[in-house]
Amino acid sequence: MNGTEALVRFVPGRPHWWQWCTVLALDAPLVVVAWQALLARETSVSLASAHRLLLGGGVWLAYLADRWFEAVRLDPERIRTQRHWFCHRFRMPLAVLWCAVLL
């Protein structure tokens, strides 16, 4: 096995350190909040922390729900990504967390 194969080899439940942002579905919310800040600065619009939380939280809810539904319908043997494995393995705690954030 060469170095590249070792980096991409899928081991369920053992994400690499750089995958955690994606595994926790934080990549899209972080990008959208960064874009919001950039656009606000360029248009001289003032943003409160609540604006960032609402946008980031809403995107996280949509993003996680999409991943959750994908992971739940997959057979465990067919899962080939850390994000799907994580959502499948922790589907009930994630569902509770999702509802709490929604409320």
Side-chain angles (χ1 to χ4, degrees):
M1 171 181 346
N2 65 34
T4 305
E5 289 173 356
L7 288 176
V8 296
R9 188 169 41 107
F10 175 70
V11 178
R14 307 251 350 246
H16 298 287
W17 65 268
W18 67 84
Q19 293 175 311
W20 278 106
C21 190
T22 300
V23 168
L24 299 174
L26 295 174
D27 45 349
L30 290 173
V31 169
V32 76
V33 169
W35 273 105
Q36 179 191 41
L38 177 71
L39 291 170
R41 190 184 79 215
E42 291 300 315
T43 58
S44 300
V45 172
S46 153
L47 288 177
S49 297
H51 297 125
R52 291 178 181 89
L53 283 172
L54 284 171
L55 181 63
V59 170
W60 182 82
L61 287 170
Y63 207 48
L64 185 66
D66 178 61
R67 289 189 178 178
W68 191 88
F69 284 117
E70 286 177 353
V72 167
R73 66 184 179 93
L74 283 173
D75 293 327
E77 299 82 34
R78 297 194 61 209
I79 295 175
R80 297 290 178 259
T81 64
Q82 296 295 347
R83 66 181 187 222
H84 287 114
W85 182 88
F86 186 83
C87 281
H88 185 81
R89 169 70 176 83
F90 297 103
R91 62 188 169 273
M92 290 314 293
L94 286 172
V96 170
L97 178 62
W98 191 93
C99 290
V101 171
L102 179 64
L103 292 175

